[in-house]
Amino acid sequence: MVDRRRQQIIEMACKRFADKGFIGSSMRDLAADMGLEAASLYTYIKSKDDLLEDICFSIGNKLINAIAEVNDIYFNAEEKLRMAIKNHVEIICANPQASKVFTHEWRHLQEAKKTEFITLRNQYEQGITEIIDTGITEQIFIEDDKRFAVLTILSAVNWISEWYNPQGKMKPNEIAQKLADFVFTGLKKTI
Amino acid sequence: MVDRRRQQIIEMACKRFADKGFIGSSMRDLAADMGLEAASLYTYIKSKDDLLEDICFSIGNKLINAIAEVNDIYFNAEEKLRMAIKNHVEIICANPQASKVFTHEWRHLQEAKKTEFITLRNQYEQGITEIIDTGITEQIFIEDDKRFAVLTILSAVNWISEWYNPQGKMKPNEIAQKLADFVFTGLKKTI
DNA sequence: ACTTTTGCCTAACACTTGTTAGGGTACATG
DNA sequence: CATGTACCCTAACAAGTGTTAGGCAAAAGT
């Protein structure tokens, strides 16, 4: 059951990294959270960097898969963007701590992995951009500044992990709904 | 000229903290950037925490002053919000690195200062909320979810420091203009 | 000329960091 | 009973941390 224990450690690391940051979290603190000594962690993980990579790419891959699915299945641009936002919000709300790590701590990845990560992120950004493009072609979105629109949408979505409270009244699909509405009336052509 | 040298150190610290994070930056690295030994820094600063406090509250106070000014002078809610966004964007673009520290590194402040910081941030958030309130009273903004609107606006504005490039084509007032437009057509009642 | 101040240095402190080596105990399998 | 293995330990390492003490040389002030 090495994998199971490893997963527990990663979950605990998410909490610590999200709260104190990657560098601000020591292996001894993390071990203490698990009721272990620091050295014992190394039965289950390769290194501290290993933890960060796992967390960052776990969220990254979830997002990439989600956007790929959307761009494969849904045709209408509005539907696509709504679906993409919904997926993104749900991924963040299902993994709020990991998402904070994904957003804030990726820069501490080893150089090679950092490059790989940035490529993944650009790929996702490209996925969103394609949806906007479709909307412009369909003439339901105003063409003004594509990149600006994408960045603003992504910032709003990414920031959710900063304030989202699983115990709060606002549920993920409600958040997605509101956010999409907000974004749309800012993008849609109103004759 | 102790103050002048201190300011140079703080500027350099901004770069390092923005890039490597507060904990990821050592005093020896910072000193090396300045062409000094670590111990020499302490002629000009009290401690490492001192640096972080200075940076965080410098930006924080700029923002607070800006919102106070807006809420004192401008009457129309749309004008107020446009002005508030413009001020915020300009503060961020004038101090992109310090702004990144303000957004990402405040959690490493000492407990007392952290509380003070959060109060300041809430105060700013309150300032924006008041503008939205005015707009609702003036019946030019849709009342849906105030707090959600405020959070989305703030996330979009704060994220600017993540991608803003002083050498890029997009100038601060252009960014403010676009962002305000984006926000408005999402808030304004279009009958 | 002498004194003070400025601006930096080296050395050291006490402690924390990620990680490895090697061992020991409890339990399952033969 | 013997063997293996799952699970965790202590001890230690080499390196890096923020910070203080005390000193030395050049410049400035008198």
Side-chain angles (χ1 to χ4, degrees):
Chain A
M1 289 287 121
V2 172
D3 285 356
R4 167 125 185 73
R5 201 87 175 103
R6 179 187 157 90
Q7 213 49 46
Q8 291 175 348
I9 293 172
I10 289 174
E11 261 179 55
M12 198 61 96
C14 275
K15 279 189 201 168
R16 274 226 162 261
F17 291 177
D19 195 32
K20 310 280 178 190
F22 175 68
I23 308 210
S25 309
S26 81
M27 296 303 276
R28 282 167 180 84
D29 290 341
L30 175 56
D33 288 343
M34 297 288 302
L36 295 179
E37 290 300 313
S40 306
L41 296 172
Y42 289 82
T43 314
Y44 309 100
I45 63 160
K46 227 181 60 197
S47 65
K48 194 189 178 186
D49 294 310
D50 185 30
L51 284 170
L52 184 61
E53 287 169 22
D54 196 301
I55 297 168
C56 287
F57 283 95
S58 150
I59 298 292
N61 288 325
K62 280 193 174 75
L63 289 174
I64 286 286
N65 291 340
I67 195 77
E69 191 195 339
V70 167
N71 267 331
D72 273 6
I73 300 180
Y74 296 86
F75 295 104
N76 179 277
E78 169 160 351
E79 239 178 46
K80 273 192 184 184
L81 192 50
R82 279 196 183 275
M83 202 63 195
I85 289 175
K86 188 171 187 295
N87 285 342
H88 195 132
V89 171
E90 264 161 14
I91 289 168
I92 285 189
C93 292
N95 317 270
Q97 283 133 343
S99 297
K100 277 182 92 170
V101 178
F102 171 86
T103 316
H104 298 311
E105 306 298 327
W106 60 269
R107 59 178 162 169
H108 295 116
L109 287 167
Q110 307 262 58
E111 217 55 45
K113 286 284 169 185
K114 183 161 40 173
T115 312
E116 195 183 322
F117 179 89
I118 290 172
T119 307
L120 204 76
R121 231 189 29 175
N122 288 344
Q123 198 182 323
Y124 184 74
E125 194 179 309
Q126 183 54 34
I128 302 283
T129 307
E130 274 171 32
I131 299 181
I132 306 280
D133 274 334
T134 311
I136 292 171
T137 311
E138 292 177 6
Q139 294 188 305
I140 58 168
F141 296 158
I142 295 166
E143 166 152 40
D144 188 15
D145 191 319
K146 253 187 336 197
R147 187 168 145 72
F148 186 82
V150 172
L151 285 172
T152 306
I153 292 170
L154 285 180
S155 72
V157 186
N158 279 326
W159 203 253
I160 290 171
S161 62
E162 227 65 27
W163 55 264
Y164 174 66
N165 174 12
Q167 272 81 44
K169 331 161 235 200
M170 221 168 176
K171 293 302 156 199
N173 55 356
E174 196 183 341
I175 294 174
Q177 169 84 32
K178 275 187 202 291
L179 187 55
D181 288 348
F182 191 93
V183 163
F184 267 114
T185 20
L187 272 175
K188 241 191 238 168
K189 233 182 214 162
T190 35
I191 316 156
Chain B
M1 289 289 122
V2 172
D3 285 356
R4 167 125 185 72
R5 202 86 175 103
R6 180 189 156 90
Q7 213 49 47
Q8 291 175 349
I9 293 172
I10 289 174
E11 260 178 56
M12 199 60 98
C14 275
K15 279 190 201 168
R16 274 226 161 259
F17 292 177
D19 195 33
K20 309 281 178 191
F22 176 68
I23 308 209
S25 309
S26 80
M27 296 303 276
R28 282 168 180 82
D29 289 342
L30 176 56
D33 287 343
M34 296 288 301
L36 295 179
E37 289 301 313
S40 306
L41 296 172
Y42 289 82
T43 314
Y44 310 101
I45 62 160
K46 226 181 62 196
S47 65
K48 195 189 179 187
D49 293 309
D50 185 30
L51 284 171
L52 184 60
E53 287 169 23
D54 197 301
I55 297 168
C56 287
F57 283 96
S58 150
I59 297 292
N61 287 326
K62 279 192 176 75
L63 289 174
I64 285 286
N65 291 340
I67 196 76
E69 191 195 340
V70 166
N71 267 331
D72 273 7
I73 300 180
Y74 297 86
F75 294 104
N76 179 277
E78 170 161 350
E79 239 178 46
K80 272 192 184 184
L81 192 48
R82 279 197 183 274
M83 202 63 197
I85 290 175
K86 188 171 187 296
N87 285 342
H88 195 133
V89 171
E90 265 162 14
I91 288 168
I92 285 188
C93 293
N95 318 269
Q97 284 133 343
S99 298
K100 277 182 93 170
V101 177
F102 171 86
T103 315
H104 297 311
E105 306 299 326
W106 61 269
R107 59 178 160 169
H108 295 115
L109 287 167
Q110 307 263 56
E111 217 55 45
K113 286 284 168 183
K114 184 164 32 175
T115 312
E116 195 182 324
F117 179 88
I118 291 171
T119 307
L120 204 76
R121 230 189 31 174
N122 289 344
Q123 197 182 325
Y124 184 73
E125 194 180 310
Q126 183 53 35
I128 302 283
T129 308
E130 274 171 32
I131 299 181
I132 307 280
D133 274 335
T134 310
I136 293 171
T137 311
E138 291 177 6
Q139 295 190 304
I140 58 168
F141 296 158
I142 295 164
E143 166 153 41
D144 187 15
D145 191 319
K146 251 186 341 195
R147 187 169 144 73
F148 186 81
V150 172
L151 285 171
T152 308
I153 293 170
L154 285 180
S155 72
V157 186
N158 280 327
W159 203 255
I160 290 171
S161 62
E162 228 64 28
W163 55 263
Y164 174 66
N165 175 11
Q167 272 81 44
K169 326 160 240 199
M170 221 168 175
K171 293 303 154 199
N173 56 355
E174 197 183 341
I175 295 174
Q177 169 84 34
K178 276 186 200 293
L179 187 56
D181 288 348
F182 191 93
V183 164
F184 267 114
T185 21
L187 273 175
K188 240 191 238 170
K189 241 185 210 161
T190 36
I191 309 256

